[in-house]
Amino acid sequence: SAMKKKIIIVHILLIILLLINIVPYKRVDAKSVDYVVKYSRKIYYGTNSKLKSFKVNQIKGSYKEYWDKKVLYKVITYPDSMNDVNIKNYTVEYYYDKNQKLVFAFAYRKVKGKLKEYRAYYGTDGKLYRYIGANGKIKDYKKGQKIRYIHSLRYEMYRKGTYYLHLCEEGFK
């Protein structure tokens, strides 16, 4: 009986230690759509309010980058230049946080004089949490959706945006 109590106490202590070790590592940055959208908007507005203080690197008609030291915060790719990072027919703006995670992508083009916009909100865990199509319809993914390798603008923006960041990182090595 005393031995059973000791075993139960040891098990309880092990469970408590396990929980203590797990909780700090749990990703809380992407636990809800609202959090991801608020975080993305914070990065979007914060970045755009500081554009004049950033270093600009560009090739006219292809891309324009906004840097603060060695941190890339914003990239605009243009539709007329076809290479690995541009998306045909779309101007795309990519927004990264200070940890170099893609958190927001905004694609747009004019069709018959009307502006068509597409917005994608990504968690720092690399999942899509909200997508807004040209018709304004909002699609939320409560637990985040893994990026798929199918031809769809919502996934292509993520792939191109993270690929672009990878190319920039390679340039610093």
Side-chain angles (χ1 to χ4, degrees):
S1 181
M3 186 64 145
K4 283 185 180 179
K5 284 183 183 178
K6 285 181 183 178
I7 292 173
I8 291 172
I9 290 171
V10 169
H11 278 99
I12 290 171
L13 288 173
L14 286 173
I15 290 170
I16 290 170
L17 285 172
L18 184 65
L19 289 173
I20 289 170
N21 284 328
I22 290 174
V23 172
Y25 300 110
K26 191 174 180 185
R27 295 198 85 111
V28 293
D29 54 346
K31 68 180 182 179
S32 73
V33 174
D34 288 340
Y35 183 89
V36 170
V37 170
K38 283 178 186 171
Y39 183 71
S40 297
R41 287 179 178 158
K42 177 183 168 191
I43 299 300
Y44 173 86
Y45 289 112
T47 297
N48 284 323
S49 71
K50 295 185 276 188
L51 285 183
K52 290 181 181 174
S53 68
F54 290 146
K55 181 182 176 229
V56 176
N57 182 32
Q58 68 180 325
I59 292 180
K60 199 169 180 98
S62 182
Y63 66 84
K64 190 173 191 177
E65 304 168 340
Y66 294 88
W67 293 85
D68 183 17
K69 297 178 179 116
K70 287 189 174 186
V71 178
L72 180 64
Y73 281 98
K74 179 179 179 178
V75 174
I76 304 171
T77 60
Y78 299 100
D80 297 334
S81 175
M82 286 313 298
N83 56 41
D84 290 345
V85 294
N86 299 69
I87 298 177
K88 187 178 182 181
N89 299 323
Y90 291 95
T91 298
V92 185
E93 296 182 16
Y94 299 102
Y95 292 84
Y96 306 92
D97 69 7
K98 66 182 178 190
N99 298 312
Q100 298 296 257
K101 299 288 185 183
L102 177 63
V103 295
F104 180 66
F106 174 54
Y108 48 92
R109 68 180 179 160
K110 279 197 173 179
V111 178
K112 296 180 182 174
K114 290 188 176 186
L115 190 64
K116 299 274 188 184
E117 300 177 354
Y118 305 83
R119 298 168 189 247
Y121 299 82
Y122 305 102
T124 57
D125 58 359
K127 292 180 181 177
L128 174 66
Y129 281 80
R130 174 175 283 175
Y131 180 75
I132 304 174
N135 59 3
K137 187 175 178 186
I138 298 171
K139 176 67 179 160
D140 285 344
Y141 302 95
K142 289 184 177 165
K143 293 182 179 179
Q145 185 175 62
K146 288 184 179 178
I147 302 306
R148 298 179 181 167
Y149 289 89
I150 57 174
H151 184 72
S152 170
L153 189 59
R154 69 187 77 187
Y155 305 120
E156 194 170 356
M157 287 191 295
Y158 185 82
R159 288 193 304 271
K160 299 276 184 167
T162 53
Y163 178 65
Y164 196 98
L165 185 62
H166 174 71
L167 291 177
C168 291
E169 288 170 351
E170 287 295 313
F172 284 120
K173 290 181 182 171

PDB file of all heavy atoms in Angstrom, residues 44 90-91 104-111 114-121 131-137 153 157:
ATOM      1  N   TYR A  44       1.972  44.081 -41.348  1.00  0.00           N
ATOM      2  CA  TYR A  44       1.645  44.838 -42.562  1.00  0.00           C
ATOM      3  C   TYR A  44       1.694  46.344 -42.299  1.00  0.00           C
ATOM      4  O   TYR A  44       2.395  47.081 -42.987  1.00  0.00           O
ATOM      5  CB  TYR A  44       0.252  44.413 -43.061  1.00  0.00           C
ATOM      6  CG  TYR A  44      -0.264  45.234 -44.206  1.00  0.00           C
ATOM      7  CD1 TYR A  44       0.061  44.912 -45.520  1.00  0.00           C
ATOM      8  CD2 TYR A  44      -1.092  46.329 -43.996  1.00  0.00           C
ATOM      9  CE1 TYR A  44      -0.410  45.655 -46.585  1.00  0.00           C
ATOM     10  CE2 TYR A  44      -1.578  47.076 -45.055  1.00  0.00           C
ATOM     11  CZ  TYR A  44      -1.228  46.743 -46.343  1.00  0.00           C
ATOM     12  OH  TYR A  44      -1.688  47.489 -47.391  1.00  0.00           O
ATOM     13  N   TYR A  90       0.240  38.725 -61.916  1.00  0.00           N
ATOM     14  CA  TYR A  90      -0.052  39.295 -60.594  1.00  0.00           C
ATOM     15  C   TYR A  90       1.113  40.114 -60.051  1.00  0.00           C
ATOM     16  O   TYR A  90       2.270  39.712 -60.165  1.00  0.00           O
ATOM     17  CB  TYR A  90      -0.340  38.189 -59.568  1.00  0.00           C
ATOM     18  CG  TYR A  90      -1.630  37.471 -59.810  1.00  0.00           C
ATOM     19  CD1 TYR A  90      -1.657  36.291 -60.537  1.00  0.00           C
ATOM     20  CD2 TYR A  90      -2.826  37.975 -59.314  1.00  0.00           C
ATOM     21  CE1 TYR A  90      -2.850  35.620 -60.769  1.00  0.00           C
ATOM     22  CE2 TYR A  90      -4.023  37.312 -59.544  1.00  0.00           C
ATOM     23  CZ  TYR A  90      -4.026  36.143 -60.269  1.00  0.00           C
ATOM     24  OH  TYR A  90      -5.207  35.488 -60.497  1.00  0.00           O
ATOM     25  N   THR A  91       0.774  41.228 -59.440  1.00  0.00           N
ATOM     26  CA  THR A  91       1.709  41.918 -58.567  1.00  0.00           C
ATOM     27  C   THR A  91       1.451  41.313 -57.193  1.00  0.00           C
ATOM     28  O   THR A  91       0.301  41.201 -56.775  1.00  0.00           O
ATOM     29  CB  THR A  91       1.437  43.430 -58.539  1.00  0.00           C
ATOM     30  OG1 THR A  91       1.629  43.961 -59.862  1.00  0.00           O
ATOM     31  CG2 THR A  91       2.370  44.139 -57.559  1.00  0.00           C
ATOM     32  N   PHE A 104       2.041  37.272 -44.393  1.00  0.00           N
ATOM     33  CA  PHE A 104       0.948  37.823 -45.194  1.00  0.00           C
ATOM     34  C   PHE A 104       1.393  37.958 -46.641  1.00  0.00           C
ATOM     35  O   PHE A 104       2.530  38.327 -46.910  1.00  0.00           O
ATOM     36  CB  PHE A 104       0.547  39.199 -44.650  1.00  0.00           C
ATOM     37  CG  PHE A 104      -0.576  39.865 -45.394  1.00  0.00           C
ATOM     38  CD1 PHE A 104      -1.854  39.327 -45.381  1.00  0.00           C
ATOM     39  CD2 PHE A 104      -0.364  41.036 -46.098  1.00  0.00           C
ATOM     40  CE1 PHE A 104      -2.901  39.948 -46.063  1.00  0.00           C
ATOM     41  CE2 PHE A 104      -1.408  41.661 -46.779  1.00  0.00           C
ATOM     42  CZ  PHE A 104      -2.674  41.113 -46.759  1.00  0.00           C
ATOM     43  N   ALA A 105       0.500  37.626 -47.549  1.00  0.00           N
ATOM     44  CA  ALA A 105       0.753  37.834 -48.974  1.00  0.00           C
ATOM     45  C   ALA A 105      -0.503  38.437 -49.591  1.00  0.00           C
ATOM     46  O   ALA A 105      -1.625  38.058 -49.244  1.00  0.00           O
ATOM     47  CB  ALA A 105       1.112  36.525 -49.660  1.00  0.00           C
ATOM     48  N   PHE A 106      -0.276  39.373 -50.482  1.00  0.00           N
ATOM     49  CA  PHE A 106      -1.351  40.145 -51.072  1.00  0.00           C
ATOM     50  C   PHE A 106      -1.090  40.204 -52.576  1.00  0.00           C
ATOM     51  O   PHE A 106      -0.080  40.749 -53.011  1.00  0.00           O
ATOM     52  CB  PHE A 106      -1.326  41.534 -50.431  1.00  0.00           C
ATOM     53  CG  PHE A 106      -2.260  42.545 -50.999  1.00  0.00           C
ATOM     54  CD1 PHE A 106      -3.605  42.289 -51.104  1.00  0.00           C
ATOM     55  CD2 PHE A 106      -1.796  43.796 -51.387  1.00  0.00           C
ATOM     56  CE1 PHE A 106      -4.480  43.246 -51.603  1.00  0.00           C
ATOM     57  CE2 PHE A 106      -2.658  44.757 -51.884  1.00  0.00           C
ATOM     58  CZ  PHE A 106      -3.997  44.476 -51.989  1.00  0.00           C
ATOM     59  N   ALA A 107      -1.954  39.572 -53.368  1.00  0.00           N
ATOM     60  CA  ALA A 107      -1.782  39.546 -54.825  1.00  0.00           C
ATOM     61  C   ALA A 107      -2.906  40.355 -55.456  1.00  0.00           C
ATOM     62  O   ALA A 107      -4.042  40.339 -54.977  1.00  0.00           O
ATOM     63  CB  ALA A 107      -1.807  38.118 -55.343  1.00  0.00           C
ATOM     64  N   TYR A 108      -2.579  41.052 -56.538  1.00  0.00           N
ATOM     65  CA  TYR A 108      -3.616  41.834 -57.209  1.00  0.00           C
ATOM     66  C   TYR A 108      -3.280  42.019 -58.688  1.00  0.00           C
ATOM     67  O   TYR A 108      -2.132  41.922 -59.102  1.00  0.00           O
ATOM     68  CB  TYR A 108      -3.830  43.185 -56.521  1.00  0.00           C
ATOM     69  CG  TYR A 108      -2.565  43.966 -56.227  1.00  0.00           C
ATOM     70  CD1 TYR A 108      -2.066  44.899 -57.127  1.00  0.00           C
ATOM     71  CD2 TYR A 108      -1.866  43.763 -55.048  1.00  0.00           C
ATOM     72  CE1 TYR A 108      -0.919  45.614 -56.851  1.00  0.00           C
ATOM     73  CE2 TYR A 108      -0.717  44.469 -54.756  1.00  0.00           C
ATOM     74  CZ  TYR A 108      -0.250  45.404 -55.669  1.00  0.00           C
ATOM     75  OH  TYR A 108       0.896  46.103 -55.393  1.00  0.00           O
ATOM     76  N   ARG A 109      -4.339  42.244 -59.451  1.00  0.00           N
ATOM     77  CA  ARG A 109      -4.212  42.538 -60.877  1.00  0.00           C
ATOM     78  C   ARG A 109      -5.491  43.215 -61.338  1.00  0.00           C
ATOM     79  O   ARG A 109      -6.530  43.110 -60.699  1.00  0.00           O
ATOM     80  CB  ARG A 109      -3.951  41.275 -61.680  1.00  0.00           C
ATOM     81  CG  ARG A 109      -5.133  40.319 -61.711  1.00  0.00           C
ATOM     82  CD  ARG A 109      -4.813  39.100 -62.517  1.00  0.00           C
ATOM     83  NE  ARG A 109      -5.946  38.194 -62.522  1.00  0.00           N
ATOM     84  CZ  ARG A 109      -6.129  37.258 -63.414  1.00  0.00           C
ATOM     85  NH1 ARG A 109      -5.256  37.088 -64.375  1.00  0.00           N
ATOM     86  NH2 ARG A 109      -7.175  36.472 -63.361  1.00  0.00           N
ATOM     87  N   LYS A 110      -5.395  43.895 -62.461  1.00  0.00           N
ATOM     88  CA  LYS A 110      -6.582  44.528 -63.038  1.00  0.00           C
ATOM     89  C   LYS A 110      -7.164  43.619 -64.105  1.00  0.00           C
ATOM     90  O   LYS A 110      -6.445  43.090 -64.947  1.00  0.00           O
ATOM     91  CB  LYS A 110      -6.236  45.882 -63.642  1.00  0.00           C
ATOM     92  CG  LYS A 110      -6.165  46.981 -62.621  1.00  0.00           C
ATOM     93  CD  LYS A 110      -6.238  48.332 -63.262  1.00  0.00           C
ATOM     94  CE  LYS A 110      -6.323  49.374 -62.163  1.00  0.00           C
ATOM     95  NZ  LYS A 110      -6.383  50.720 -62.678  1.00  0.00           N
ATOM     96  N   VAL A 111      -8.475  43.418 -64.016  1.00  0.00           N
ATOM     97  CA  VAL A 111      -9.196  42.636 -65.002  1.00  0.00           C
ATOM     98  C   VAL A 111     -10.349  43.504 -65.493  1.00  0.00           C
ATOM     99  O   VAL A 111     -11.234  43.864 -64.721  1.00  0.00           O
ATOM    100  CB  VAL A 111      -9.728  41.311 -64.398  1.00  0.00           C
ATOM    101  CG1 VAL A 111     -10.526  40.536 -65.434  1.00  0.00           C
ATOM    102  CG2 VAL A 111      -8.592  40.474 -63.857  1.00  0.00           C
ATOM    103  N   LYS A 114     -11.096  46.540 -63.469  1.00  0.00           N
ATOM    104  CA  LYS A 114     -11.395  46.348 -62.041  1.00  0.00           C
ATOM    105  C   LYS A 114     -10.241  45.640 -61.355  1.00  0.00           C
ATOM    106  O   LYS A 114      -9.669  44.702 -61.900  1.00  0.00           O
ATOM    107  CB  LYS A 114     -12.680  45.533 -61.851  1.00  0.00           C
ATOM    108  CG  LYS A 114     -13.933  46.275 -62.243  1.00  0.00           C
ATOM    109  CD  LYS A 114     -15.154  45.478 -61.851  1.00  0.00           C
ATOM    110  CE  LYS A 114     -16.414  46.272 -62.165  1.00  0.00           C
ATOM    111  NZ  LYS A 114     -17.612  45.603 -61.685  1.00  0.00           N
ATOM    112  N   LEU A 115      -9.953  46.098 -60.139  1.00  0.00           N
ATOM    113  CA  LEU A 115      -8.880  45.500 -59.373  1.00  0.00           C
ATOM    114  C   LEU A 115      -9.358  44.215 -58.695  1.00  0.00           C
ATOM    115  O   LEU A 115     -10.359  44.195 -57.995  1.00  0.00           O
ATOM    116  CB  LEU A 115      -8.387  46.490 -58.306  1.00  0.00           C
ATOM    117  CG  LEU A 115      -7.115  46.113 -57.572  1.00  0.00           C
ATOM    118  CD1 LEU A 115      -5.925  46.071 -58.530  1.00  0.00           C
ATOM    119  CD2 LEU A 115      -6.847  47.092 -56.447  1.00  0.00           C
ATOM    120  N   LYS A 116      -8.640  43.130 -58.945  1.00  0.00           N
ATOM    121  CA  LYS A 116      -8.921  41.841 -58.304  1.00  0.00           C
ATOM    122  C   LYS A 116      -7.848  41.628 -57.243  1.00  0.00           C
ATOM    123  O   LYS A 116      -6.657  41.673 -57.552  1.00  0.00           O
ATOM    124  CB  LYS A 116      -8.861  40.695 -59.324  1.00  0.00           C
ATOM    125  CG  LYS A 116      -9.862  40.813 -60.443  1.00  0.00           C
ATOM    126  CD  LYS A 116     -11.158  40.206 -60.020  1.00  0.00           C
ATOM    127  CE  LYS A 116     -12.116  40.149 -61.208  1.00  0.00           C
ATOM    128  NZ  LYS A 116     -13.406  39.666 -60.840  1.00  0.00           N
ATOM    129  N   GLU A 117      -8.274  41.391 -55.996  1.00  0.00           N
ATOM    130  CA  GLU A 117      -7.347  41.233 -54.878  1.00  0.00           C
ATOM    131  C   GLU A 117      -7.503  39.858 -54.233  1.00  0.00           C
ATOM    132  O   GLU A 117      -8.615  39.344 -54.136  1.00  0.00           O
ATOM    133  CB  GLU A 117      -7.617  42.279 -53.794  1.00  0.00           C
ATOM    134  CG  GLU A 117      -7.482  43.695 -54.240  1.00  0.00           C
ATOM    135  CD  GLU A 117      -7.830  44.674 -53.117  1.00  0.00           C
ATOM    136  OE1 GLU A 117      -8.273  44.247 -52.034  1.00  0.00           O
ATOM    137  OE2 GLU A 117      -7.649  45.870 -53.354  1.00  0.00           O
ATOM    138  N   TYR A 118      -6.388  39.341 -53.786  1.00  0.00           N
ATOM    139  CA  TYR A 118      -6.358  38.066 -53.082  1.00  0.00           C
ATOM    140  C   TYR A 118      -5.451  38.250 -51.866  1.00  0.00           C
ATOM    141  O   TYR A 118      -4.345  38.782 -51.995  1.00  0.00           O
ATOM    142  CB  TYR A 118      -5.783  36.964 -53.980  1.00  0.00           C
ATOM    143  CG  TYR A 118      -6.522  36.833 -55.287  1.00  0.00           C
ATOM    144  CD1 TYR A 118      -6.223  37.669 -56.354  1.00  0.00           C
ATOM    145  CD2 TYR A 118      -7.526  35.889 -55.446  1.00  0.00           C
ATOM    146  CE1 TYR A 118      -6.913  37.571 -57.556  1.00  0.00           C
ATOM    147  CE2 TYR A 118      -8.214  35.770 -56.648  1.00  0.00           C
ATOM    148  CZ  TYR A 118      -7.904  36.620 -57.695  1.00  0.00           C
ATOM    149  OH  TYR A 118      -8.586  36.522 -58.881  1.00  0.00           O
ATOM    150  N   ARG A 119      -5.909  37.806 -50.701  1.00  0.00           N
ATOM    151  CA  ARG A 119      -5.125  37.968 -49.482  1.00  0.00           C
ATOM    152  C   ARG A 119      -4.982  36.623 -48.775  1.00  0.00           C
ATOM    153  O   ARG A 119      -5.956  35.885 -48.663  1.00  0.00           O
ATOM    154  CB  ARG A 119      -5.807  38.960 -48.534  1.00  0.00           C
ATOM    155  CG  ARG A 119      -5.927  40.343 -49.131  1.00  0.00           C
ATOM    156  CD  ARG A 119      -6.856  41.225 -48.307  1.00  0.00           C
ATOM    157  NE  ARG A 119      -7.115  42.448 -49.013  1.00  0.00           N
ATOM    158  CZ  ARG A 119      -6.689  43.646 -48.609  1.00  0.00           C
ATOM    159  NH1 ARG A 119      -6.015  43.752 -47.494  1.00  0.00           N
ATOM    160  NH2 ARG A 119      -6.959  44.718 -49.321  1.00  0.00           N
ATOM    161  N   ALA A 120      -3.777  36.374 -48.283  1.00  0.00           N
ATOM    162  CA  ALA A 120      -3.517  35.126 -47.561  1.00  0.00           C
ATOM    163  C   ALA A 120      -2.770  35.441 -46.270  1.00  0.00           C
ATOM    164  O   ALA A 120      -1.769  36.160 -46.278  1.00  0.00           O
ATOM    165  CB  ALA A 120      -2.703  34.171 -48.428  1.00  0.00           C
ATOM    166  N   TYR A 121      -3.297  34.919 -45.172  1.00  0.00           N
ATOM    167  CA  TYR A 121      -2.713  35.124 -43.848  1.00  0.00           C
ATOM    168  C   TYR A 121      -2.107  33.801 -43.389  1.00  0.00           C
ATOM    169  O   TYR A 121      -2.810  32.797 -43.309  1.00  0.00           O
ATOM    170  CB  TYR A 121      -3.789  35.556 -42.852  1.00  0.00           C
ATOM    171  CG  TYR A 121      -4.455  36.864 -43.210  1.00  0.00           C
ATOM    172  CD1 TYR A 121      -5.496  36.910 -44.134  1.00  0.00           C
ATOM    173  CD2 TYR A 121      -4.040  38.048 -42.622  1.00  0.00           C
ATOM    174  CE1 TYR A 121      -6.109  38.112 -44.467  1.00  0.00           C
ATOM    175  CE2 TYR A 121      -4.656  39.255 -42.942  1.00  0.00           C
ATOM    176  CZ  TYR A 121      -5.683  39.279 -43.869  1.00  0.00           C
ATOM    177  OH  TYR A 121      -6.285  40.461 -44.187  1.00  0.00           O
ATOM    178  N   TYR A 131      -7.895  32.974 -46.071  1.00  0.00           N
ATOM    179  CA  TYR A 131      -7.715  33.333 -47.472  1.00  0.00           C
ATOM    180  C   TYR A 131      -8.941  34.119 -47.918  1.00  0.00           C
ATOM    181  O   TYR A 131     -10.072  33.705 -47.654  1.00  0.00           O
ATOM    182  CB  TYR A 131      -7.546  32.084 -48.341  1.00  0.00           C
ATOM    183  CG  TYR A 131      -7.355  32.396 -49.802  1.00  0.00           C
ATOM    184  CD1 TYR A 131      -6.142  32.882 -50.259  1.00  0.00           C
ATOM    185  CD2 TYR A 131      -8.388  32.226 -50.722  1.00  0.00           C
ATOM    186  CE1 TYR A 131      -5.948  33.186 -51.596  1.00  0.00           C
ATOM    187  CE2 TYR A 131      -8.198  32.520 -52.063  1.00  0.00           C
ATOM    188  CZ  TYR A 131      -6.983  32.999 -52.494  1.00  0.00           C
ATOM    189  OH  TYR A 131      -6.797  33.300 -53.814  1.00  0.00           O
ATOM    190  N   ILE A 132      -8.694  35.239 -48.567  1.00  0.00           N
ATOM    191  CA  ILE A 132      -9.791  36.061 -49.092  1.00  0.00           C
ATOM    192  C   ILE A 132      -9.603  36.143 -50.599  1.00  0.00           C
ATOM    193  O   ILE A 132      -8.575  36.635 -51.078  1.00  0.00           O
ATOM    194  CB  ILE A 132      -9.808  37.473 -48.466  1.00  0.00           C
ATOM    195  CG1 ILE A 132      -9.884  37.367 -46.936  1.00  0.00           C
ATOM    196  CG2 ILE A 132     -10.980  38.286 -49.022  1.00  0.00           C
ATOM    197  CD1 ILE A 132      -9.753  38.696 -46.206  1.00  0.00           C
ATOM    198  N   GLY A 133     -10.577  35.641 -51.329  1.00  0.00           N
ATOM    199  CA  GLY A 133     -10.509  35.637 -52.787  1.00  0.00           C
ATOM    200  C   GLY A 133     -10.957  36.948 -53.391  1.00  0.00           C
ATOM    201  O   GLY A 133     -11.384  37.876 -52.692  1.00  0.00           O
ATOM    202  N   ALA A 134     -10.889  37.032 -54.707  1.00  0.00           N
ATOM    203  CA  ALA A 134     -11.241  38.253 -55.426  1.00  0.00           C
ATOM    204  C   ALA A 134     -12.709  38.635 -55.229  1.00  0.00           C
ATOM    205  O   ALA A 134     -13.081  39.797 -55.316  1.00  0.00           O
ATOM    206  CB  ALA A 134     -10.937  38.097 -56.911  1.00  0.00           C
ATOM    207  N   ASN A 135     -13.550  37.648 -54.932  1.00  0.00           N
ATOM    208  CA  ASN A 135     -14.968  37.923 -54.711  1.00  0.00           C
ATOM    209  C   ASN A 135     -15.245  38.412 -53.287  1.00  0.00           C
ATOM    210  O   ASN A 135     -16.383  38.668 -52.925  1.00  0.00           O
ATOM    211  CB  ASN A 135     -15.794  36.665 -55.000  1.00  0.00           C
ATOM    212  CG  ASN A 135     -15.390  35.483 -54.129  1.00  0.00           C
ATOM    213  OD1 ASN A 135     -14.527  35.599 -53.265  1.00  0.00           O
ATOM    214  ND2 ASN A 135     -16.016  34.345 -54.377  1.00  0.00           N
ATOM    215  N   GLY A 136     -14.176  38.512 -52.472  1.00  0.00           N
ATOM    216  CA  GLY A 136     -14.328  38.983 -51.099  1.00  0.00           C
ATOM    217  C   GLY A 136     -14.731  37.902 -50.112  1.00  0.00           C
ATOM    218  O   GLY A 136     -14.860  38.164 -48.915  1.00  0.00           O
ATOM    219  N   LYS A 137     -14.915  36.687 -50.600  1.00  0.00           N
ATOM    220  CA  LYS A 137     -15.326  35.589 -49.730  1.00  0.00           C
ATOM    221  C   LYS A 137     -14.152  35.186 -48.827  1.00  0.00           C
ATOM    222  O   LYS A 137     -13.043  34.946 -49.295  1.00  0.00           O
ATOM    223  CB  LYS A 137     -15.782  34.394 -50.563  1.00  0.00           C
ATOM    224  CG  LYS A 137     -16.379  33.283 -49.741  1.00  0.00           C
ATOM    225  CD  LYS A 137     -16.924  32.174 -50.632  1.00  0.00           C
ATOM    226  CE  LYS A 137     -17.468  31.055 -49.759  1.00  0.00           C
ATOM    227  NZ  LYS A 137     -17.882  29.904 -50.541  1.00  0.00           N
ATOM    228  N   LEU A 153      -3.567  29.858 -56.166  1.00  0.00           N
ATOM    229  CA  LEU A 153      -2.910  31.101 -55.790  1.00  0.00           C
ATOM    230  C   LEU A 153      -2.586  31.151 -54.298  1.00  0.00           C
ATOM    231  O   LEU A 153      -1.519  31.584 -53.896  1.00  0.00           O
ATOM    232  CB  LEU A 153      -3.769  32.301 -56.200  1.00  0.00           C
ATOM    233  CG  LEU A 153      -3.102  33.672 -56.062  1.00  0.00           C
ATOM    234  CD1 LEU A 153      -1.837  33.756 -56.899  1.00  0.00           C
ATOM    235  CD2 LEU A 153      -4.070  34.761 -56.475  1.00  0.00           C
ATOM    236  N   MET A 157       1.361  31.620 -53.533  1.00  0.00           N
ATOM    237  CA  MET A 157       1.901  32.813 -52.878  1.00  0.00           C
ATOM    238  C   MET A 157       2.830  32.408 -51.736  1.00  0.00           C
ATOM    239  O   MET A 157       3.877  33.001 -51.538  1.00  0.00           O
ATOM    240  CB  MET A 157       0.785  33.720 -52.365  1.00  0.00           C
ATOM    241  CG  MET A 157       0.060  34.471 -53.464  1.00  0.00           C
ATOM    242  SD  MET A 157      -1.047  35.775 -52.873  1.00  0.00           S
ATOM    243  CE  MET A 157      -2.288  34.877 -51.970  1.00  0.00           C
TER     244      MET A 157
END
